[in-house]
Amino acid sequence: MEWGRIAVFASGTGSNFAALVQAQREGRLGGGSIELLVSDKPEAPVAQRAEEAGIPALLLRPKDFAGREQYEAAIVAELQRRNIGLVVLAGYMRLISPVLLAPYAGRIINIHPSLLPAFAGKDAIGQALEYGVKLTGVTVHFVDGGMDTGPVIAQRSVEVQSGDTAESLAARIHQVEYALYPEVVSAFAAGKVELNGRMTTIAE
Ligand code: GRF
């Protein structure tokens, strides 16, 4: 498995997918190369983006499989066929089971729009606004079997401004995501990320 051979998983809009593709085009993904899009929603806009970018897509509906294990086994087969070494979740709205976690241990990462462990799960931006925090942000973390519970790799903060709506705050958070995720993916592609217990270090 090569760290630089990347599959992006996404279920929706795919703006982070697009930002990663753009980063690769601009030489900001280090040795990273996006080899595959995986989506559980064949009709999602992200599938169209992959087509436009000329990136192969594996579009599978989980309900067409006997269960989650069979669905993920089909994905793992394709990842292994393409020698994928890093799985990058970008708005992939499913928990991952051991069928995918075991062969890709330490090789699956996710981006979440809050400073974890605050506001895990759905609608993190809405949760932050409702709570009234002054500072929120973006977290990139390893994926484990839980919901946004894996070790943190990188975090960046975003100030909540008075008068912010979910839309205005989301727009600033997304801009930070588009910058941070390519940086982290590039560090992985260069083999610079190390995990000890829950403590991650990124080598210079
Ligand atoms: C992002 O905010 C990401 O942090 C979260 O889901 C959203 C995906 O947005 N996990 P997009 O599909 O990349 O536009």
Side-chain angles (χ1 to χ4, degrees):
M1 274 192 241
E2 285 174 44
W3 282 111
R5 293 182 63 81
I6 296 160
V8 179
F9 286 35
S11 304
T13 316
S15 67
N16 277 280
F17 170 76
L20 288 161
V21 169
Q22 186 65 21
Q24 182 181 332
R25 286 200 184 121
E26 293 170 3
R28 288 185 287 113
L29 224 46
S33 164
I34 301 167
E35 298 290 327
L36 183 68
L37 168 76
V38 174
S39 184
D40 58 330
K41 298 244 163 49
E43 64 290 342
V46 70
Q48 184 67 33
R49 293 190 196 252
E51 196 176 329
E52 283 161 15
I55 291 172
L58 179 67
L59 308 173
L60 301 176
R61 285 190 178 82
K63 68 173 170 49
D64 291 342
F65 293 80
R68 179 164 72 158
E69 280 71 26
Q70 290 82 355
Y71 163 69
E72 286 190 359
I75 295 175
V76 169
E78 185 65 16
L79 297 180
Q80 291 179 335
R81 196 176 73 76
R82 292 180 183 270
N83 197 24
I84 298 295
L86 179 66
V87 171
V88 173
L89 308 187
Y92 183 67
M93 304 305 282
R94 295 184 165 271
L95 286 174
I96 308 278
S97 89
V99 171
L100 176 54
L101 278 173
Y104 280 90
R107 291 174 176 270
I108 310 180
I109 64 176
N110 182 43
I111 191 160
H112 183 78
S114 76
L115 295 175
L116 289 170
F119 313 129
K122 286 203 175 127
D123 191 23
I125 296 168
Q127 290 184 56
L129 275 178
E130 189 163 61
Y131 197 94
V133 291
K134 303 298 183 199
L135 205 58
T136 183
V138 175
T139 302
V140 179
H141 63 92
F142 283 102
V143 172
D144 61 15
M147 175 86 85
D148 305 319
T149 48
V152 169
I153 301 163
Q155 292 187 304
R156 208 156 278 174
S157 59
V158 173
E159 280 184 25
V160 181
Q161 295 168 0
S162 61
D164 253 338
T165 60
E167 290 69 35
S168 63
L169 181 56
R172 294 203 309 287
I173 285 180
H174 284 315
Q175 290 307 315
V176 172
E177 291 184 328
Y178 304 154
L180 182 62
Y181 221 4
E183 285 177 28
V184 172
V185 168
S186 158
F188 268 96
K192 285 185 178 169
V193 184
E194 241 183 71
L195 180 64
N196 289 302
R198 283 193 64 93
M199 198 53 85
T200 306
T201 42
I202 301 181
E204 284 302 309

